[in-house]
Amino acid sequence: MDYNKLAELIFPHISQTPDDYEALYPARQLPQGAKVTRLGPSPTGFIHLGNLYGAFVDERLAHQSGGRFYLRIEDTDDKRYVEGAVEIIINSLRFFGINFDEGATMNGDIGHYGDYTQSHRGEIYQCFAKKLVSEGKAYPCFLTEEEIADIRASQEAQKLTPGIYGKWAKSRSLTLDEIEANIKEGKPYVIRLKSDGDMSLPEDQIRRIQVNDAIRGTLDMPANDQDTVILKATGIPTYHFAHVVDDHLMRTTHVVRGAEWLPSLPIHIELFEKLGWEPPVYCHTAQLMKLDEEGNKRKLSKRKDPELSLDYYRNQGYHPAAVREYLLTILNSNFEEWRMANPDADINEFEFTTDKMSTSGALFDLNKLNDISKDVLLKISAGDLFDFLKAWAAEFKPEIMHMFDDRAYLEKILDIGRKETKPRKDHIYAQQMVENISYFFDDMFKLEDSFPAEVEAAGDTEAILTEYLKTYNHGDDQETWFNKIRAIAEKLGYAVKPKDYKKNPDLFKGHVGHVSTVIRVALMGRQQSPDVWEIQQILGEARTRERLQKFI
Ligand code: GLU
């Protein structure tokens, strides 16, 4: 068959040649060893932890090596397109410190390797499909959906691998005249790769391929044998074909993507071979897993696990530095060790490598994130925490904006207990922090705990608060202040030392701890809190007296 004629018959409108595109997108001028990576999300409007996990790898590989990281919009499946999705992708990733050097943006493309939106690249894909057809490496297939279903049914009945290959690929044997007639009749067709694989060979003679994956090492797998669709009947490419053409022309050196693409890797390798191109280095990342209630590892699911969505971290108000720090602990097994040796180093000084990545499933654990967040937030100054909280509240909790009216007040609150040798680690994420410190603001004060039972039983709550107010001097130092509480305890029949009460519970109504808890509850509405004296200093004299007075 004259394949050139066939190619002209199918693609008469394609006048550009592969050489034109090779010239339009020349090799990048980058330093030796510089990596070029990309994120290729579908614009569904849902951006999840897996995207961030992969983007992090892309970003580190590119930026650590002086390379480029770009955004390509993979919208060939138009059913999934959501308006504003590009903005969502860029903004969510930027929030977590991930920035692109080139690619699609809200205001058009940046960079010389575009267009960076797949739906705008139709002619490019068709040009390379034309090349494959003209070399007899791809062909038009006119099988209808019913015919394909019948083929599948016979294959199932004969226990054969399903798919279009070998003798099942009936359109392979059409003559040029038959093809021309079909096209004239308006029969719809797709373009399929003419695979070299031969399914009829005995198992041990099937060709195998070896692919070096930067995360998984050498992968040994059977070569592709399916006549995979490369252009759909609409002329739109499948993911397989679009990825190969784009990553070649955009001069991508490393393709980071999820393990769900491993089964189709042989297709991509065959496509690269047939097009005469060097494949990129593949980096197939592990699935994100979590431990369920029974302690079993399972994949994070969009339906069951709200923490899969990146919005979750924004809404809860996790600090991006904490999320980055946590992601690195699950991305690279040696990160925690490095962090211990370099507690104050900038996170970007850590040398990220793909060979320290897990292959079996990265375990995602919110409790661990929370622990890491506590340590990360401890290193952030009260001033910066104030700004972070304020920005979060403006977006997610505007009703609490009055908390930010008095900067000095809130900064003091945020710094409680953080300067000690064994500092308090109260702060985890914005939502939790706001709840934690809400009692400092009169309109948010709530009586969350009751007064101690021992005191209530003796009917002493009011008496304690009255005594306390009587001797209260806002200028007392911590020791003088506590001695006054001891005096009240003694006067009202409470043990000054808790251990005396424990030894002889019948001799006392309770102990000094119960007395101070009364004050704590009156001031903060809670039985547990940081140091009462310190809190009073922050609340100020007027507010302190007012709160105590309310219970008398
Ligand atoms: N568009 C593909 C996806 O959303 C990207 C896979 C890739 O990075 O190659 O899964």
Side-chain angles (χ1 to χ4, degrees), residues 327-344:
L327 274 182
L328 262 183
T329 66
I330 50 174
L331 276 165
N332 257 192
S333 52
N334 54 333
F335 175 73
E336 280 181 277
E337 206 180 299
W338 175 87
R339 180 47 94 201
M340 264 189 297
N342 305 278
D344 297 315

PDB file of all heavy atoms in Angstrom, residues 327-344:
ATOM      1  N   LEU A 327       5.027  16.957  53.647  1.00  0.00           N
ATOM      2  CA  LEU A 327       5.109  16.235  52.376  1.00  0.00           C
ATOM      3  C   LEU A 327       6.515  15.692  52.146  1.00  0.00           C
ATOM      4  O   LEU A 327       6.681  14.580  51.656  1.00  0.00           O
ATOM      5  CB  LEU A 327       4.712  17.150  51.216  1.00  0.00           C
ATOM      6  CG  LEU A 327       3.227  17.219  50.916  1.00  0.00           C
ATOM      7  CD1 LEU A 327       2.977  18.115  49.714  1.00  0.00           C
ATOM      8  CD2 LEU A 327       2.651  15.830  50.646  1.00  0.00           C
ATOM      9  N   LEU A 328       7.502  16.480  52.519  1.00  0.00           N
ATOM     10  CA  LEU A 328       8.866  15.986  52.323  1.00  0.00           C
ATOM     11  C   LEU A 328       9.153  14.755  53.180  1.00  0.00           C
ATOM     12  O   LEU A 328       9.891  13.872  52.764  1.00  0.00           O
ATOM     13  CB  LEU A 328       9.895  17.082  52.613  1.00  0.00           C
ATOM     14  CG  LEU A 328      10.413  17.809  51.368  1.00  0.00           C
ATOM     15  CD1 LEU A 328      11.481  18.811  51.737  1.00  0.00           C
ATOM     16  CD2 LEU A 328      10.968  16.833  50.324  1.00  0.00           C
ATOM     17  N   THR A 329       8.535  14.688  54.359  1.00  0.00           N
ATOM     18  CA  THR A 329       8.785  13.496  55.175  1.00  0.00           C
ATOM     19  C   THR A 329       8.195  12.253  54.517  1.00  0.00           C
ATOM     20  O   THR A 329       8.739  11.164  54.668  1.00  0.00           O
ATOM     21  CB  THR A 329       8.213  13.590  56.614  1.00  0.00           C
ATOM     22  OG1 THR A 329       6.804  13.636  56.525  1.00  0.00           O
ATOM     23  CG2 THR A 329       8.706  14.785  57.363  1.00  0.00           C
ATOM     24  N   ILE A 330       7.078  12.411  53.789  1.00  0.00           N
ATOM     25  CA  ILE A 330       6.577  11.202  53.108  1.00  0.00           C
ATOM     26  C   ILE A 330       7.203  11.031  51.732  1.00  0.00           C
ATOM     27  O   ILE A 330       7.184   9.952  51.171  1.00  0.00           O
ATOM     28  CB  ILE A 330       5.029  11.108  53.039  1.00  0.00           C
ATOM     29  CG1 ILE A 330       4.394  12.369  52.507  1.00  0.00           C
ATOM     30  CG2 ILE A 330       4.428  10.736  54.360  1.00  0.00           C
ATOM     31  CD1 ILE A 330       2.877  12.213  52.308  1.00  0.00           C
ATOM     32  N   LEU A 331       7.784  12.098  51.190  1.00  0.00           N
ATOM     33  CA  LEU A 331       8.389  11.980  49.862  1.00  0.00           C
ATOM     34  C   LEU A 331       9.776  11.349  49.908  1.00  0.00           C
ATOM     35  O   LEU A 331      10.130  10.558  49.047  1.00  0.00           O
ATOM     36  CB  LEU A 331       8.501  13.364  49.217  1.00  0.00           C
ATOM     37  CG  LEU A 331       7.252  13.858  48.504  1.00  0.00           C
ATOM     38  CD1 LEU A 331       7.355  15.347  48.236  1.00  0.00           C
ATOM     39  CD2 LEU A 331       7.036  13.123  47.188  1.00  0.00           C
ATOM     40  N   ASN A 332      10.560  11.751  50.889  1.00  0.00           N
ATOM     41  CA  ASN A 332      11.936  11.255  50.932  1.00  0.00           C
ATOM     42  C   ASN A 332      12.220  10.647  52.296  1.00  0.00           C
ATOM     43  O   ASN A 332      12.124  11.322  53.331  1.00  0.00           O
ATOM     44  CB  ASN A 332      12.933  12.390  50.645  1.00  0.00           C
ATOM     45  CG  ASN A 332      13.481  12.337  49.230  1.00  0.00           C
ATOM     46  OD1 ASN A 332      14.427  13.014  48.879  1.00  0.00           O
ATOM     47  ND2 ASN A 332      12.890  11.493  48.411  1.00  0.00           N
ATOM     48  N   SER A 333      12.612   9.375  52.285  1.00  0.00           N
ATOM     49  CA  SER A 333      12.774   8.653  53.542  1.00  0.00           C
ATOM     50  C   SER A 333      13.892   9.217  54.418  1.00  0.00           C
ATOM     51  O   SER A 333      13.922   8.966  55.609  1.00  0.00           O
ATOM     52  CB  SER A 333      13.034   7.178  53.259  1.00  0.00           C
ATOM     53  OG  SER A 333      14.106   7.066  52.344  1.00  0.00           O
ATOM     54  N   ASN A 334      14.810   9.976  53.828  1.00  0.00           N
ATOM     55  CA  ASN A 334      15.920  10.512  54.636  1.00  0.00           C
ATOM     56  C   ASN A 334      15.682  11.953  55.091  1.00  0.00           C
ATOM     57  O   ASN A 334      16.559  12.572  55.689  1.00  0.00           O
ATOM     58  CB  ASN A 334      17.228  10.432  53.851  1.00  0.00           C
ATOM     59  CG  ASN A 334      17.119  11.106  52.501  1.00  0.00           C
ATOM     60  OD1 ASN A 334      16.022  11.189  51.938  1.00  0.00           O
ATOM     61  ND2 ASN A 334      18.220  11.605  51.980  1.00  0.00           N
ATOM     62  N   PHE A 335      14.498  12.481  54.803  1.00  0.00           N
ATOM     63  CA  PHE A 335      14.264  13.890  55.141  1.00  0.00           C
ATOM     64  C   PHE A 335      14.266  14.131  56.651  1.00  0.00           C
ATOM     65  O   PHE A 335      14.867  15.091  57.132  1.00  0.00           O
ATOM     66  CB  PHE A 335      12.956  14.401  54.533  1.00  0.00           C
ATOM     67  CG  PHE A 335      12.637  15.807  54.956  1.00  0.00           C
ATOM     68  CD1 PHE A 335      13.356  16.873  54.432  1.00  0.00           C
ATOM     69  CD2 PHE A 335      11.660  16.070  55.909  1.00  0.00           C
ATOM     70  CE1 PHE A 335      13.088  18.183  54.837  1.00  0.00           C
ATOM     71  CE2 PHE A 335      11.387  17.375  56.319  1.00  0.00           C
ATOM     72  CZ  PHE A 335      12.104  18.423  55.777  1.00  0.00           C
ATOM     73  N   GLU A 336      13.593  13.265  57.409  1.00  0.00           N
ATOM     74  CA  GLU A 336      13.484  13.515  58.854  1.00  0.00           C
ATOM     75  C   GLU A 336      14.847  13.512  59.534  1.00  0.00           C
ATOM     76  O   GLU A 336      15.110  14.316  60.426  1.00  0.00           O
ATOM     77  CB  GLU A 336      12.561  12.483  59.501  1.00  0.00           C
ATOM     78  CG  GLU A 336      11.101  12.841  59.286  1.00  0.00           C
ATOM     79  CD  GLU A 336      10.154  11.856  59.934  1.00  0.00           C
ATOM     80  OE1 GLU A 336       9.866  10.814  59.322  1.00  0.00           O
ATOM     81  OE2 GLU A 336       9.718  12.138  61.062  1.00  0.00           O
ATOM     82  N   GLU A 337      15.698  12.608  59.066  1.00  0.00           N
ATOM     83  CA  GLU A 337      17.053  12.539  59.598  1.00  0.00           C
ATOM     84  C   GLU A 337      17.792  13.846  59.297  1.00  0.00           C
ATOM     85  O   GLU A 337      18.462  14.422  60.157  1.00  0.00           O
ATOM     86  CB  GLU A 337      17.751  11.386  58.888  1.00  0.00           C
ATOM     87  CG  GLU A 337      18.880  10.746  59.631  1.00  0.00           C
ATOM     88  CD  GLU A 337      19.436   9.623  58.752  1.00  0.00           C
ATOM     89  OE1 GLU A 337      18.674   8.681  58.434  1.00  0.00           O
ATOM     90  OE2 GLU A 337      20.591   9.738  58.352  1.00  0.00           O
ATOM     91  N   TRP A 338      17.637  14.305  58.074  1.00  0.00           N
ATOM     92  CA  TRP A 338      18.264  15.566  57.671  1.00  0.00           C
ATOM     93  C   TRP A 338      17.747  16.715  58.538  1.00  0.00           C
ATOM     94  O   TRP A 338      18.513  17.549  59.007  1.00  0.00           O
ATOM     95  CB  TRP A 338      17.984  15.845  56.189  1.00  0.00           C
ATOM     96  CG  TRP A 338      18.494  17.187  55.725  1.00  0.00           C
ATOM     97  CD1 TRP A 338      19.744  17.484  55.267  1.00  0.00           C
ATOM     98  CD2 TRP A 338      17.767  18.433  55.696  1.00  0.00           C
ATOM     99  NE1 TRP A 338      19.852  18.810  54.949  1.00  0.00           N
ATOM    100  CE2 TRP A 338      18.650  19.422  55.212  1.00  0.00           C
ATOM    101  CE3 TRP A 338      16.458  18.800  56.047  1.00  0.00           C
ATOM    102  CZ2 TRP A 338      18.267  20.752  55.052  1.00  0.00           C
ATOM    103  CZ3 TRP A 338      16.082  20.133  55.895  1.00  0.00           C
ATOM    104  CH2 TRP A 338      16.978  21.086  55.400  1.00  0.00           C
ATOM    105  N   ARG A 339      16.444  16.722  58.781  1.00  0.00           N
ATOM    106  CA  ARG A 339      15.851  17.800  59.552  1.00  0.00           C
ATOM    107  C   ARG A 339      16.383  17.800  60.982  1.00  0.00           C
ATOM    108  O   ARG A 339      16.631  18.857  61.560  1.00  0.00           O
ATOM    109  CB  ARG A 339      14.322  17.684  59.525  1.00  0.00           C
ATOM    110  CG  ARG A 339      13.584  18.737  60.288  1.00  0.00           C
ATOM    111  CD  ARG A 339      14.061  20.150  60.025  1.00  0.00           C
ATOM    112  NE  ARG A 339      13.342  20.865  59.006  1.00  0.00           N
ATOM    113  CZ  ARG A 339      13.844  21.928  58.364  1.00  0.00           C
ATOM    114  NH1 ARG A 339      15.080  22.356  58.611  1.00  0.00           N
ATOM    115  NH2 ARG A 339      13.137  22.565  57.454  1.00  0.00           N
ATOM    116  N   MET A 340      16.593  16.591  61.518  1.00  0.00           N
ATOM    117  CA  MET A 340      17.121  16.530  62.882  1.00  0.00           C
ATOM    118  C   MET A 340      18.529  17.104  62.947  1.00  0.00           C
ATOM    119  O   MET A 340      18.890  17.800  63.894  1.00  0.00           O
ATOM    120  CB  MET A 340      17.094  15.102  63.402  1.00  0.00           C
ATOM    121  CG  MET A 340      15.838  14.932  64.216  1.00  0.00           C
ATOM    122  SD  MET A 340      15.631  13.449  65.147  1.00  0.00           S
ATOM    123  CE  MET A 340      15.561  12.138  64.028  1.00  0.00           C
ATOM    124  N   ALA A 341      19.297  16.829  61.914  1.00  0.00           N
ATOM    125  CA  ALA A 341      20.673  17.335  61.880  1.00  0.00           C
ATOM    126  C   ALA A 341      20.711  18.825  61.527  1.00  0.00           C
ATOM    127  O   ALA A 341      21.669  19.524  61.852  1.00  0.00           O
ATOM    128  CB  ALA A 341      21.493  16.529  60.886  1.00  0.00           C
ATOM    129  N   ASN A 342      19.670  19.306  60.846  1.00  0.00           N
ATOM    130  CA  ASN A 342      19.649  20.710  60.403  1.00  0.00           C
ATOM    131  C   ASN A 342      18.347  21.386  60.786  1.00  0.00           C
ATOM    132  O   ASN A 342      17.555  21.766  59.922  1.00  0.00           O
ATOM    133  CB  ASN A 342      19.799  20.786  58.870  1.00  0.00           C
ATOM    134  CG  ASN A 342      21.032  20.079  58.386  1.00  0.00           C
ATOM    135  OD1 ASN A 342      22.125  20.620  58.418  1.00  0.00           O
ATOM    136  ND2 ASN A 342      20.854  18.843  57.960  1.00  0.00           N
ATOM    137  N   PRO A 343      18.110  21.532  62.102  1.00  0.00           N
ATOM    138  CA  PRO A 343      16.779  21.997  62.534  1.00  0.00           C
ATOM    139  C   PRO A 343      16.405  23.373  61.996  1.00  0.00           C
ATOM    140  O   PRO A 343      15.231  23.653  61.816  1.00  0.00           O
ATOM    141  CB  PRO A 343      16.864  21.999  64.057  1.00  0.00           C
ATOM    142  CG  PRO A 343      18.314  21.889  64.391  1.00  0.00           C
ATOM    143  CD  PRO A 343      19.003  21.264  63.234  1.00  0.00           C
ATOM    144  N   ASP A 344      17.390  24.216  61.745  1.00  0.00           N
ATOM    145  CA  ASP A 344      17.036  25.573  61.335  1.00  0.00           C
ATOM    146  C   ASP A 344      17.272  25.858  59.857  1.00  0.00           C
ATOM    147  O   ASP A 344      17.068  26.974  59.401  1.00  0.00           O
ATOM    148  CB  ASP A 344      17.806  26.591  62.200  1.00  0.00           C
ATOM    149  CG  ASP A 344      17.408  26.465  63.662  1.00  0.00           C
ATOM    150  OD1 ASP A 344      16.190  26.358  63.914  1.00  0.00           O
ATOM    151  OD2 ASP A 344      18.305  26.416  64.527  1.00  0.00           O
TER     152      ASP A 344
END
